[in-house]
C-alpha cells in the first residue's frame, strides 16, 4: 500500500504536532507502531496512520519535523487467543448520553442483551428514543429489517438500580468525563455487583489506574474505549494495567469480545488519552489555534479533508465530540504533561461559556439545523 505524504506545507504544519506525538508514543512504548496506525485509521478515519505518514515523508521534511523515524509497522500486538467466547452474555452500559447510546447500539446489534443503568426514568426513556431513531435510519437505509430492529430493541432494558446489572459479563461506564462523577459511579457499582464482574471505563482522558482507588482490589478493571459515533467506528482500545490481577486473561477476554461484537481491538498502555485521544485531541486544539490566528472555520476544515483526506474537518470533529468533552480531555492530559500545546485554546473556552457545545446543542464552530 502506498501512503501519500501531506500535500502541502500548510497541511504538514498543522499535522506536525500529531506526527511528533505519534513517534513519542511509540518511543514510550504506549503502543506498537502498527497499533498506533490502526488506531488512527479506525478510531479517527484517517486514510493513513501517522507512523505510515512519517515513513512516507521526504527525509528533508522529516528532518524539519525533528522526529526520529520510528520502526516500520510490523503487525498488530493483538493475536487470536484461546479465550474467544469468554464474554458471550449480557453487557451492562452505564449512562445515557451520546457515547452510551452508541455503545448500546453496537453491542445490541451484535446479538448480546444490554442492561443500561440510567440516572432517571426520563434519561432512560431518552436513550431508548435515540436508539429507536438510529435504528429507524438503519432500516430506511436497508441495513436492518423491521424484525431485526425490533430484536435489537428487545435486547435492551433499562434500570435505575446498579444491582440490576448483576449477571452481566462486563459493565462499561460511559458517564460524564469528570473524575468525581466517574469515581462515584464506579464506587456505587462496586458496592452493588459481585466482585468478579469486570468494570470497564470508556474514559476519554483518565487512566484506568485513576479509578482503581474507588473499587475493591480484587475486581477486574479495564478500559474499553469506543469512538464517536460508537455504532459506526470500528476501533476499541483495550487497556488493562499490568498490575491488575490476571491481567493477561482479562486482556484476552476483552480483545476477543471486542472482535466478536464486530470491532477491531488494539492494546495500549494505561496513559492519559490512550492512543487516539492523546494524538487526536491536541491536534484538534492545534486546528482551533489555527482558526484563532484568522483562518476561517471552513478553510481549516477543508485544509485537512482536502489536503490530508481526513473524513471530517477538525473543527467539525470537535463539534461531533463536543466542545465540553474536548476541553475536559485537554485539561486532563495537560494536568500530567508539561506541554503548552495541550492547554485548551481560548476559543474552546469561549464557545463552551456561550453554551455552544457542538452538534448536541445545535452549534459549535459550525451551526446545525438538526442533531443526528
Ligand atoms: N452520529 C451517529 N451516527 C452517524 C453520524 C453521527 N454524527 N454520522 C454518521 N453516522 C453513521 C450513520 O449510521 C451513517 O449511516 P446511515 O447514513 O446509513 O444512517 C454512517 O455513520 C455512515 O455515515 P455517512 O454515510 O454520512 O458516512 P461518512 O462517510 O460521512 O462517515 C463518519 C461518517 C463515520 C462519522 C466519518 O465522518 C468519520 O469517520 N469521522 C471521524 C470520526 C472520528 O474521528 N471519531 C473519533 C472522535 S474521538 C472519540 O470519539 C473519542 C472520545 O473519547 C472523545
Amino acid at each position: 500500500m502506498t501512503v501519500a505524504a501531506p500535500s502541502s506545507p500548510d497541511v504538514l504544519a498543522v499535522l506536525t504536532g500529531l506526527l511528533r506525538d505519534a513517534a513519542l508514543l511509540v518511543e514510550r512504548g504506549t503502543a506498537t507502531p502498527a497499533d498506533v496506525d490502526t488506531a488512527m485509521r479506525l478510531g479517527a478515519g484517517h486514510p493513513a496512520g501517522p507512523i505510515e505518514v512519517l515513513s512516507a515523508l521526504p527525509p528533508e521534511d522529516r528532518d524539519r519535523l525533528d522526529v526520529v523515524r520510528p520502526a516500520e509497522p510490523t503487525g498488530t500486538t493483538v493475536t487470536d487467543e484461546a479465550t474467544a467466547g469468554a464474554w458471550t452474555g449480557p453487557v451492562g452500559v452505564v449512562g445515557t448520553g451520546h457515547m452510551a447510546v452508541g455503545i448500546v447500539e453496537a453491542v445490541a446489534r451484535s446479538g448480546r442483551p444490554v442492561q443500561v443503568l440510567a440516572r432517571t426514568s426520563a434519561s432512560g426513556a431518552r436513550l431508548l428514543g435515540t436508539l429507536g431513531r438510529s435504528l429507524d435510519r438503519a432500516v430506511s437505509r436497508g441495513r436492518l429489517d423491521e424484525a431485526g430492529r425490533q430484536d435489537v430493541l428487545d435486547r435492551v432494558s433499562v434500570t435505575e438500580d446498579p444491582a440490576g446489572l448483576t449477571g452481566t459479563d462486563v459493565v462499561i461506564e460511559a458517564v460524564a468525563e469528570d473524575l468525581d462523577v466517574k469515581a462515584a459511579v464506579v464506587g456505587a457499582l462496586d458496592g452493588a455487583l459481585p466482585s468478579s464482574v469486570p468494570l470497564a471505563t470508556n474514559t476519554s482522558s483518565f487512566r484506568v489506574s485513576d479509578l482503581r482507588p474507588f473499587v475493591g482490589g480484587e475486581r477486574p478493571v479495564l478500559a474499553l474505549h469506543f469512538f464517536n459515533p460508537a455504532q459506526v467506528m470500528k476501533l476499541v482500545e483495550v487497556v488493562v494495567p499490568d498490575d491488575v490481577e490476571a491481567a493477561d486473561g482479562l486482556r484476552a477476554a476483552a480483545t476477543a469480545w471486542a472482535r466478536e461484537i464486530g470491532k477491531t481491538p488494539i492494546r495500549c498502555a494505561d496513559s492519559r488519552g490512550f492512543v487516539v485521544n492523546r494524538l487526536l485531541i491536541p491536534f484538534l486544539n492545534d486546528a482551533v489555534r489555527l482558526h484563532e490566528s484568522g483562518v476561517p472555520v471552513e478553510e481549516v476544515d477543508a485544509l485537512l479533508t482536502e489536503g490530508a483526506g481526513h473524513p471530517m474537518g477538525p473543527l467539525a470533529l470537535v463539534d461531533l465530540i463536543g466542545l465540553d468533552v474536548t476541553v475536559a480531555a485537554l485539561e486532563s492530559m495537560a494536568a500530567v504533561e508539561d506541554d503548552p500545546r495541550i492547554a485548551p485554546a481560548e476559543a474552546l473556552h469561549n464557545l463552551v461559556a456561550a453554551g455552544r457545545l457542538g452538534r448536541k446543542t445545535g452549534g459549535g464552530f459550525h451551526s446545525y439545523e438538526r442533531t443526528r
Side-chain angles (χ1 to χ4, degrees):
M1 181 198 50
T2 318
V3 171
S7 60
S8 80
D10 289 347
V11 176
L12 187 57
V14 72
L15 282 171
T16 295
L18 187 158
L19 296 173
R20 278 200 190 122
D21 282 353
L24 192 68
L25 288 194
V26 171
E27 200 179 298
R28 284 180 187 162
T30 303
T32 65
D35 279 354
V36 169
D37 282 342
T38 301
M40 295 309 283
R41 280 176 177 276
L42 301 185
H46 289 188
I51 307 301
E52 292 167 320
V53 172
L54 279 172
S55 301
L57 282 180
E60 61 276 15
D61 278 346
R62 223 169 23 236
D63 289 348
R64 222 172 311 133
L65 290 189
D66 194 23
V67 287
V68 182
R69 178 178 168 167
E72 296 286 336
T74 53
T76 168
T77 49
V78 180
T79 52
D80 284 329
E81 276 127 354
T83 43
W87 299 345
T88 54
V91 170
V93 174
V94 184
T96 54
H98 189 68
M99 282 309 292
V101 71
I103 296 170
V104 168
E105 180 174 340
V107 177
R109 286 182 74 166
S110 81
R112 284 153 168 81
V114 183
Q115 282 154 235
V116 180
L117 177 62
R119 246 189 315 185
T120 62
S121 60
S123 59
R126 238 184 348 261
L127 174 132
L128 291 175
T130 309
L131 174 63
R133 283 190 296 282
S134 181
L135 296 173
D136 287 343
R137 206 162 50 230
V139 171
S140 70
R141 303 288 166 106
R143 295 188 180 146
L144 192 67
D145 60 19
E146 266 303 333
R149 173 188 186 278
Q150 195 53 50
D151 287 346
V152 173
L153 286 173
D154 289 346
R155 281 186 209 114
V156 179
S157 56
V158 180
T159 177
E160 289 153 54
D161 176 6
L165 304 187
T166 303
T168 53
D169 284 338
V170 58
V171 172
I172 305 167
E173 74 74 20
V175 300
E177 192 64 15
D178 175 314
L179 193 57
D180 292 338
V181 173
K182 287 192 184 292
V185 164
V186 297
L189 290 164
D190 190 53
L193 298 175
S195 63
S196 58
V197 179
L199 277 185
T201 175
N202 181 58
T203 179
S204 299
S205 57
F206 296 111
R207 297 175 313 156
V208 177
S209 307
D210 295 329
L211 292 170
R212 290 278 301 277
F214 307 100
V215 297
E218 68 284 17
R219 181 177 303 281
V221 286
L222 71 159
L224 291 170
H225 188 217
F226 290 73
F227 295 84
N228 198 339
Q231 66 276 45
V232 178
M233 304 305 285
K234 287 290 175 203
L235 185 75
V236 174
E237 290 173 326
V238 174
V239 186
V240 178
D242 286 333
D243 59 349
V244 167
E245 208 178 300
D248 286 345
L250 183 60
R251 231 172 254 137
T255 51
W257 175 84
R259 241 193 241 106
E260 285 158 17
I261 65 160
K263 302 293 188 190
T264 299
I266 64 132
R267 290 178 182 173
C268 59
D270 187 25
S271 56
R272 289 195 181 193
F274 306 136
V275 173
V276 173
N277 284 349
R278 178 60 189 81
L279 299 183
L280 186 67
I281 305 275
F283 155 72
L284 299 179
N285 202 33
D286 292 340
V288 175
R289 291 220 171 90
L290 180 64
H291 168 55
E292 286 175 341
S293 76
V295 183
V297 168
E298 285 71 20
E299 278 181 37
V300 173
D301 278 353
L303 191 65
L304 277 302
T305 52
E306 289 164 21
H310 289 188
M312 298 172 77
L315 302 181
L317 183 53
V318 173
D319 285 348
L320 176 65
I321 293 171
L323 278 77
D324 51 341
V325 176
T326 305
V327 167
L330 284 164
E331 285 177 341
S332 168
M333 291 189 274
V336 292
E337 288 206 53
D338 187 18
D339 180 352
R341 219 185 116 235
I342 306 180
E346 205 168 319
L348 286 171
H349 283 305
N350 293 343
L351 286 166
V352 169
R356 290 182 69 87
L357 305 184
R359 282 192 191 216
K360 59 190 170 189
T361 58
F365 289 98
H366 299 264
S367 291
Y368 303 87
E369 276 173 28
R370 53 181 269 276
T371 54
R372 289 187 71 146

